[in-house]
Amino acid sequence: MDWLTAVEWSPYAAGIGIGILSWFTWLISSKPIGCSTSFARTAGMIEKLFRGKKVEDKLYYREVKPEIDWQWMFVAGIIAGALISSLISGDFHWLWVPSTWQSAFGDNPWLRFLAALAGGILLGFGSRWAGGCTSGHGISGTMQLAVSSWISAICFFIGGIAIAQLIFKVIP
Amino acid sequence: MKNQTKKSQLIWGLIFGIIFGFLLQKSGVTKYDVIIGQLLLTDFTVLKVMLSAVITGMLGLHLMQRFGWIKLRPKAGSWGKNAAGGLIFGAGFALLGYCPGTIAGAMGNGYLDAITGGFAGIVIGSGLLAAVYPKLSTGIMKKGYFGDLTLPRLARINEWIIIIPLAIILALLMLWLETAGL
């Protein structure tokens, strides 16, 4: 069982595994692999804590109900699965500043925190605008040959490559 | 009974998620350096994982649909929704260095930038979109609407005439990445 405790698998093996997993999410749950809707549901659930039931009347939350569903549990499972995988391989580390960031911007955790916060806001906003993320559009939608998902996935990478070049090649 | 199926589906969601998180972590894409490496075009792990998943999933799902076992649901979209939203997503992707799925994996991996600012940011951003959604959904999101169109319907040909060549092209792309040492 050495493969279970290996730090890294071939990206092709992991990718084929994800493809096979998607067969079973469709067969058993009739669901595509996806993640970003759950962040919107979480935002709605938090808003409900402060503003009560009337949050459910918002147009967006009428379409995306602020409640725990299949995908929300799926995303919670990702945290657990990555934790298990990294613990049994010894690849679990508490880390504030990743090395690529550090080599360009130093090891100040606050700067990295603010960048992650700002990046997260754009990512959350953009994923709900596009109606999906790297999993929902990028993997599940492209494999269904959806035009919406191919456009989204290509734009994720066009935007990502352009801004990454700006951040790491132009700014420092 | 209906409640029970709903409950068992929540458990299935959790189980599938654990497997997905395990695979993401093993492939390396729960790491900031790997994702930024992809966007800087120095590390092609993300693309290799995605393309192998897409080829495997595409072949299996369309076969299962042909057998009548499942009914696929391609998402409806428009240029204003998918292109504009996709580019904003891309900017966030580059600044954060994780996406909504891999950030959950990064949290399990112990990465504190993901657990704190990154996670909070995605929730805030999603909430902001919900706040402006009434305006966007009747405005820019309607621009260039094409519905739940798929590539075979767009080209008006049998789906397998797209699926087989596409699987071959994506596999050749990965083969080329390997021979180029990327």
Side-chain angles (χ1 to χ4, degrees):
Chain A
M1 299 293 267
D2 284 350
W3 54 279
L4 274 180
T5 54
V7 172
E8 214 176 280
W9 287 1
S10 142
Y12 305 111
I16 290 169
I18 292 168
I20 293 174
L21 179 68
S22 77
W23 303 349
F24 287 95
T25 64
W26 275 101
L27 266 180
I28 294 175
S29 301
S30 188
K31 298 271 190 203
I33 288 174
C35 297
S36 64
T37 314
S38 304
F39 288 87
R41 292 192 205 277
T42 305
M45 285 188 271
I46 293 172
E47 205 178 327
K48 240 168 94 174
L49 287 180
F50 294 98
R51 297 185 51 234
K53 275 238 171 237
K54 65 180 173 191
V55 171
E56 291 173 8
D57 296 334
K58 275 188 162 179
L59 181 64
Y60 191 83
Y61 295 123
R62 268 185 264 154
E63 293 175 19
V64 177
K65 295 214 166 19
E67 61 187 23
I68 289 173
D69 70 338
W70 183 91
Q71 194 200 80
W72 201 94
M73 295 299 286
F74 182 82
V75 175
I78 297 175
I79 302 177
L83 178 68
I84 295 167
S85 169
S86 59
L87 281 178
I88 61 176
S89 65
D91 193 33
F92 180 93
H93 305 286
W94 296 112
L95 178 76
W96 265 112
V97 185
S99 65
T100 312
W101 178 271
Q102 190 177 337
S103 58
F105 301 104
D107 60 1
N108 184 342
W110 283 104
L111 184 62
R112 177 56 200 148
F113 169 83
L114 289 174
L117 182 68
I121 292 173
L122 281 172
L123 188 83
F125 195 80
S127 68
R128 294 329 303 153
W129 183 319
C133 62
T134 337
S135 358
H137 275 315
I139 295 180
S140 299
T142 54
M143 66 171 69
Q144 293 182 64
L145 303 173
V147 171
S148 62
S149 298
W150 279 92
I151 294 173
S152 300
I154 290 167
C155 289
F156 294 164
F157 283 96
I158 292 175
I161 290 167
I163 302 301
Q165 301 293 331
L166 182 72
I167 294 172
F168 287 96
K169 304 263 166 80
V170 181
I171 295 175
Chain B
M1 190 61 207
K2 203 170 169 243
N3 236 338
Q4 212 163 4
T5 14
K6 210 180 159 196
K7 252 193 198 152
S8 76
Q9 278 306 325
L10 291 182
I11 305 288
W12 276 115
L14 184 68
I15 294 169
F16 289 135
I18 291 173
I19 299 170
F20 189 50
F22 193 93
L23 291 167
L24 288 179
Q25 206 282 330
K26 286 281 178 246
S27 74
V29 300
T30 58
K31 293 177 170 60
Y32 172 92
D33 294 326
V34 171
I35 291 178
I36 287 301
Q38 178 63 72
L39 298 181
L40 292 173
L41 306 176
T42 53
D43 178 336
F44 281 77
T45 306
V46 174
L47 199 63
K48 291 173 188 173
V49 172
M50 288 180 72
L51 295 183
S52 343
V54 169
I55 295 173
T56 313
M58 175 172 71
L59 294 171
L61 293 186
H62 285 91
L63 267 180
M64 294 196 299
Q65 177 160 263
R66 171 113 323 187
F67 297 153
W69 297 352
I70 59 169
K71 179 91 185 71
L72 296 175
R73 296 187 305 273
K75 286 182 184 177
S78 68
W79 284 98
K81 199 168 149 75
N82 302 114
L87 291 172
I88 298 171
F89 179 100
F93 196 21
L95 194 52
L96 175 57
Y98 307 107
C99 56
T102 52
I103 199 167
M107 291 166 77
N109 217 146
Y111 302 142
L112 293 157
D113 55 341
I115 294 171
T116 59
F119 178 80
I122 301 179
V123 173
I124 294 168
S126 306
L128 288 175
L129 190 279
V132 296
Y133 182 71
K135 271 218 167 86
L136 293 179
S137 65
T138 51
I140 184 168
M141 284 182 173
K142 278 179 129 174
K143 295 267 189 298
Y145 184 79
F146 46 73
D148 61 352
L149 192 64
T150 59
L151 297 175
R153 275 199 283 127
L154 177 67
R156 293 169 197 275
I157 47 177
N158 182 288
E159 57 190 14
W160 294 97
I161 299 176
I162 301 240
I163 293 167
I164 303 292
L166 185 60
I168 294 170
I169 290 167
L170 297 181
L172 286 174
L173 179 63
M174 290 191 289
L175 192 67
W176 176 76
L177 286 174
E178 284 301 317
T179 50
L182 289 167

